[in-house]
Amino acid sequence: MEGRVAQWVAESVPRLTFDQVLDRLNHLTRPYHKNYLAMYSSWLGGIVTDPALMMIPMDDHLVHRGDGIFEAFKCVDSRVYGLSRHLDRLERSAKALSLDVPVNRSRLEQIILETIRVAGVRDCLIRLFVSRGPGGFSTNPYECPASQLYVMVTVLHETHQDKYNLGVHVKTSFIPMKRDYFANIKSCNYLPNVLMTKEAQDEGVDFTISLDERGFLGEGATENVGCITDTLEFVVPRFDRILRGITVSRMLELAGVLVEMGILKGVRESDVSPEEVRRAKEMMMFGTTFDVLPVVSFDGHPIGDGRPGPFFRKLLGLLREDMRSGSEMVTPLDE
Amino acid sequence: MEGRVAQWVAESVPRLTFDQVLDRLNHLTRPYHKNYLAMYSSWLGGIVTDPALMMIPMDDHLVHRGDGIFEAFKCVDSRVYGLSRHLDRLERSAKALSLDVPVNRSRLEQIILETIRVAGVRDCLIRLFVSRGPGGFSTNPYECPASQLYVMVTVLHETHQDKYNLGVHVKTSFIPMKRDYFANIKSCNYLPNVLMTKEAQDEGVDFTISLDERGFLGEGATENVGCITDTLEFVVPRFDRILRGITVSRMLELAGVLVEMGILKGVRESDVSPEEVRRAKEMMMFGTTFDVLPVVSFDGHPIGDGRPGPFFRKLLGLLREDMRSGSEMVTPLDE
């Protein structure tokens, strides 16, 4: 009897053979797998489309230390938007962590575009990861012989229409802001951001926004924030303490035309206090997936008349026009 | 000719079939793979011993957000040291992140011990990861249906003898300390720790030690620090700003016997200034892999007479005795 119990205990944590693992991978499908279109892995040396194979070595320091960087951008109507700026920022993040991007810029672009082509859709979201690479389980980056590149292409869900029509609700976050040193590195140490997203869900709002030690606005979990002041200026928080978002940066450039037209008095980066926001005509969030969203309440206070305003529509229109145009922001998929 | 170039470009980022990936995995061996003995993966549902299969889904939020926690402990002469305390701390980290450990405590212990048994050696290092799990690529933890458990067993390199004999050199770190909120969560957001390890390597010392904003000593990248003061007290930095190390905590308990014997005047947690350390009789590092190491210089200043001292040997002896004993710290592998 004892023997049988001992056998049962041993069996209850099965040891898997190579073939058993393959069998498991072969039969592994999850509802969310349908969103995964293609993945390039420098570790595997090519592009896979079976979600069960979209794996990464456990010893890649990205996994156990968050020792890697990323970028997220999208392809709309077969045009990749902001590719060049995202890759510029990737290079800045890599430099800050003394991390080698394992391929040169033109090869990197080739891999990205080819992975999107294999994904086979006109609209998708692309996430690019550069990791310290496999090599061991310590914190020592020098134990990794070679950094790795992973490019993940997923379905782009266009489910923002309700939010464009009705606006979003935001609150102040209680999660401490990242230290200056790390704020401008788009690393995979994103736990503060994860907790901000969780906080928003738990609080029943769309986003929470961090405040710095002096009480000025920071950023959302993965979004930037800005407002149209009561003096008709387009103001966003200074980028010295937060990540310089590609969408909001482009928005600041495009808004110049509204200044020229006399619709806006100016565009500036500065300290933004919660009081200034509460007095604002409009408040908005900026991000890769949704472009611009109108904020209709902040910590329960209505912004403007509590409905999406005309500046939101103008700014969203400018960004969408920029995507359709032949501007330097656009890289067509089929060249 | 243009056609051939286009074809070459397309081929140069190969699309891999399921079988090609298997073939690649089947032939994948790296020098560091010899250190990987066994891995349990709740995703695969068992224990694998082929290092090429020690993979994790790319969409596990541990990978792309660092949304997971870990513990590292060792098995010496078929006895797991400090298992219960490491699992207590794991539970505290999990709670702080609202992360579910996917199995109960007794099942967790069973999985760990069985993975070590499959590893088949008497001495090894165990790393345990609890991740938010696969489910998507956003920051939202609620998109993950189930957290996952990964247990990695690797070779325990006993290469510390030189350091026990000659001592180690440490310097002050320039990497900013983690925020209080995150300092006591043993998460996989370990980039500050990675950069401290890199800093030590770059500076040609064994470890660097963080300072808090007031200039008091914090911790090493993955080690605690302590000293024997000129008044014969065993002092370690307060644990409200740093991770409470299992080794140093046990050391503080075990050192009680030296106080009873009148060899030490006392044992305390307090603010420790660099000046106090420079005046100290001895300085030491504490960690899971090496237990205790004697520090012989700090920022270039010799500590004591610049050689490993008698308290280091006494403290190391107490820890080693604790590992050999039948204390509550020890879980024998073969029960």
Side-chain angles (χ1 to χ4, degrees):
Chain A
M1 192 64 188
E2 259 183 47
R4 283 179 62 189
V5 170
Q7 191 189 356
W8 176 84
V9 170
E11 280 181 356
S12 66
V13 189
R15 181 170 169 173
L16 304 174
T17 64
F18 198 91
D19 285 345
Q20 283 171 319
V21 171
L22 301 193
D23 189 57
R24 160 87 181 169
L25 291 179
N26 233 330
H27 292 91
L28 195 68
T29 55
R30 291 286 179 276
Y32 44 83
H33 281 174
K34 68 181 185 307
N35 298 324
Y36 306 163
L37 303 172
M39 175 179 158
Y40 171 84
S41 159
S42 60
W43 182 248
L44 295 177
I47 299 167
V48 296
T49 54
D50 184 334
L53 295 177
M54 295 175 182
M55 309 266 284
I56 171 174
M58 191 70 200
D59 66 335
D60 192 317
H61 288 215
L62 172 63
V63 178
H64 53 90
R65 305 295 172 180
D67 192 1
I69 55 176
F70 79 105
E71 284 294 329
F73 45 93
K74 64 181 175 181
C75 179
V76 177
D77 202 16
S78 296
R79 294 142 180 249
V80 185
Y81 189 63
L83 178 60
S84 166
R85 294 195 186 189
H86 282 280
L87 297 186
D88 287 347
R89 188 170 64 183
L90 185 83
E91 285 172 6
R92 290 197 300 274
S93 296
K95 193 173 174 191
L97 297 181
S98 305
L99 183 62
D100 291 321
V101 180
V103 292
N104 67 26
R105 180 75 170 244
S106 70
R107 173 69 177 163
L108 181 57
E109 288 181 10
Q110 185 193 12
I111 290 170
I112 293 165
L113 296 178
E114 186 58 21
T115 309
I116 301 173
R117 286 186 203 108
V118 169
V121 296
R122 299 176 68 81
D123 302 298
C124 54
L125 199 56
I126 302 100
R127 288 192 180 84
L128 185 70
F129 302 89
V130 175
S131 72
R132 192 72 68 176
F137 286 91
S138 85
T139 51
N140 187 354
Y142 294 116
E143 74 176 5
C144 306
S147 57
Q148 301 292 325
L149 170 69
Y150 307 98
V151 182
M152 186 79 207
V153 181
T154 62
V155 167
L156 179 62
H157 289 294
E158 276 298 354
T159 54
H160 305 295
Q161 201 53 54
D162 270 6
K163 290 178 177 169
Y164 295 140
N165 293 339
L166 302 173
V168 295
H169 302 270
V170 305
K171 271 192 178 177
T172 297
S173 174
F174 288 96
I175 308 298
M177 254 174 100
K178 292 186 188 185
R179 299 234 176 250
D180 306 29
Y181 189 91
F182 292 103
N184 257 298
I185 303 172
K186 204 168 170 71
S187 83
C188 294
N189 273 220
Y190 249 47
L191 214 35
N193 315 58
V194 167
L195 294 178
M196 284 178 72
T197 303
K198 179 177 183 300
E199 183 183 42
Q201 300 269 319
D202 294 343
E203 296 281 322
V205 294
D206 297 282
F207 304 102
T208 65
I209 296 170
S210 61
L211 295 184
D212 70 18
E213 299 79 12
R214 302 163 307 152
F216 294 113
L217 266 70
E219 59 192 336
T222 56
E223 308 82 22
N224 285 105
V225 60
C227 66
I228 307 294
T229 65
D230 52 358
T231 56
L232 288 178
E233 284 185 296
F234 176 25
V235 182
V236 302
R238 290 163 46 191
F239 292 119
D240 51 351
R241 293 295 310 281
I242 60 174
L243 193 76
R244 184 179 286 275
I246 305 293
T247 305
V248 73
S249 297
R250 183 59 175 171
M251 198 74 265
L252 290 169
E253 292 169 12
L254 297 174
V257 71
L258 301 182
V259 177
E260 283 168 27
M261 293 165 71
I263 297 172
L264 276 178
K265 294 276 186 252
V267 168
R268 65 183 162 90
E269 255 181 66
S270 69
D271 288 330
V272 180
S273 70
E275 294 67 36
E276 191 170 7
V277 171
R278 280 198 280 272
R279 283 197 316 268
K281 287 196 174 301
E282 294 184 33
M283 180 181 186
M284 284 167 252
M285 304 297 290
F286 303 92
T288 291
T289 51
F290 55 75
D291 302 321
V292 195
L293 284 174
V295 177
V296 294
S297 85
F298 176 49
D299 283 338
H301 301 269
I303 301 294
D305 64 1
R307 287 179 303 181
F311 282 100
F312 152 67
R313 278 181 286 268
K314 280 187 213 307
L315 290 176
L316 180 62
L318 286 170
L319 260 185
R320 291 285 165 90
E321 176 55 31
D322 195 41
M323 282 174 207
R324 280 189 298 265
S325 76
S327 86
E328 86 276 10
M329 291 291 284
V330 170
T331 306
L333 201 54
D334 307 303
E335 287 180 270
Chain B
M1 192 65 189
E2 260 183 47
R4 284 180 60 188
V5 170
Q7 190 189 356
W8 175 84
V9 169
E11 280 181 356
S12 66
V13 189
R15 181 171 169 172
L16 304 174
T17 64
F18 199 91
D19 286 344
Q20 283 171 319
V21 171
L22 301 193
D23 190 56
R24 161 87 181 168
L25 290 179
N26 233 331
H27 291 91
L28 195 69
T29 54
R30 291 285 179 278
Y32 44 84
H33 280 175
K34 68 180 185 308
N35 298 324
Y36 307 163
L37 302 173
M39 174 179 159
Y40 170 85
S41 158
S42 60
W43 182 250
L44 295 177
I47 299 167
V48 296
T49 53
D50 184 333
L53 296 177
M54 295 175 183
M55 309 268 282
I56 171 173
M58 191 70 200
D59 66 334
D60 192 318
H61 288 215
L62 173 62
V63 177
H64 52 88
R65 304 296 171 180
D67 192 1
I69 55 176
F70 79 104
E71 284 295 329
F73 45 92
K74 63 181 175 181
C75 179
V76 177
D77 202 16
S78 296
R79 292 142 181 249
V80 185
Y81 190 62
L83 178 60
S84 165
R85 293 194 186 190
H86 281 280
L87 297 186
D88 287 346
R89 188 170 65 182
L90 185 83
E91 285 171 7
R92 289 197 300 275
S93 295
K95 193 173 174 190
L97 296 181
S98 305
L99 184 62
D100 291 321
V101 180
V103 291
N104 67 26
R105 180 76 171 243
S106 68
R107 174 69 177 164
L108 181 56
E109 288 181 11
Q110 185 193 12
I111 290 170
I112 293 165
L113 295 178
E114 186 58 21
T115 310
I116 300 173
R117 285 186 203 109
V118 169
V121 296
R122 299 177 68 81
D123 302 299
C124 55
L125 199 55
I126 301 101
R127 287 192 180 81
L128 185 69
F129 301 89
V130 175
S131 73
R132 192 72 68 177
F137 286 91
S138 84
T139 51
N140 188 353
Y142 295 116
E143 74 176 4
C144 306
S147 57
Q148 300 293 326
L149 169 68
Y150 307 98
V151 182
M152 187 80 207
V153 181
T154 62
V155 167
L156 180 63
H157 289 292
E158 276 297 353
T159 54
H160 306 295
Q161 201 54 51
D162 270 7
K163 290 178 177 169
Y164 295 139
N165 293 339
L166 301 173
V168 295
H169 301 269
V170 306
K171 270 192 178 176
T172 298
S173 174
F174 288 96
I175 307 299
M177 253 174 99
K178 293 188 188 185
R179 297 237 176 248
D180 307 28
Y181 189 92
F182 293 103
N184 256 297
I185 304 172
K186 202 168 170 73
S187 83
C188 295
N189 273 220
Y190 248 47
L191 213 35
N193 314 59
V194 167
L195 295 179
M196 283 177 72
T197 302
K198 180 177 182 301
E199 185 182 41
Q201 300 269 319
D202 293 344
E203 295 282 322
V205 294
D206 298 282
F207 304 101
T208 66
I209 297 171
S210 61
L211 295 185
D212 70 18
E213 299 80 11
R214 302 164 306 153
F216 293 114
L217 265 71
E219 58 193 337
T222 57
E223 309 81 22
N224 285 105
V225 60
C227 65
I228 307 294
T229 65
D230 53 357
T231 56
L232 290 178
E233 284 185 296
F234 175 25
V235 183
V236 301
R238 289 162 46 191
F239 291 119
D240 52 351
R241 294 294 312 281
I242 60 173
L243 193 76
R244 184 179 287 276
I246 305 292
T247 306
V248 74
S249 297
R250 183 59 175 170
M251 197 76 264
L252 291 169
E253 293 170 10
L254 296 175
V257 70
L258 301 182
V259 178
E260 283 168 28
M261 291 165 73
I263 298 173
L264 277 178
K265 294 277 187 249
V267 169
R268 68 184 161 89
E269 256 180 66
S270 69
D271 288 329
V272 180
S273 69
E275 294 68 36
E276 192 171 5
V277 171
R278 280 198 281 271
R279 282 198 315 268
K281 287 195 175 301
E282 296 184 31
M283 181 180 186
M284 285 166 251
M285 303 297 288
F286 303 92
T288 290
T289 51
F290 55 74
D291 304 318
V292 194
L293 284 174
V295 177
V296 293
S297 85
F298 176 49
D299 283 338
H301 302 267
I303 301 294
D305 64 1
R307 288 180 301 182
F311 282 101
F312 152 67
R313 279 182 286 267
K314 279 185 213 307
L315 290 176
L316 179 62
L318 286 171
L319 260 186
R320 292 285 165 90
E321 176 56 32
D322 196 41
M323 281 174 207
R324 280 190 297 264
S325 75
S327 87
E328 86 276 10
M329 291 291 285
V330 171
T331 306
L333 201 53
D334 307 303
E335 288 179 90

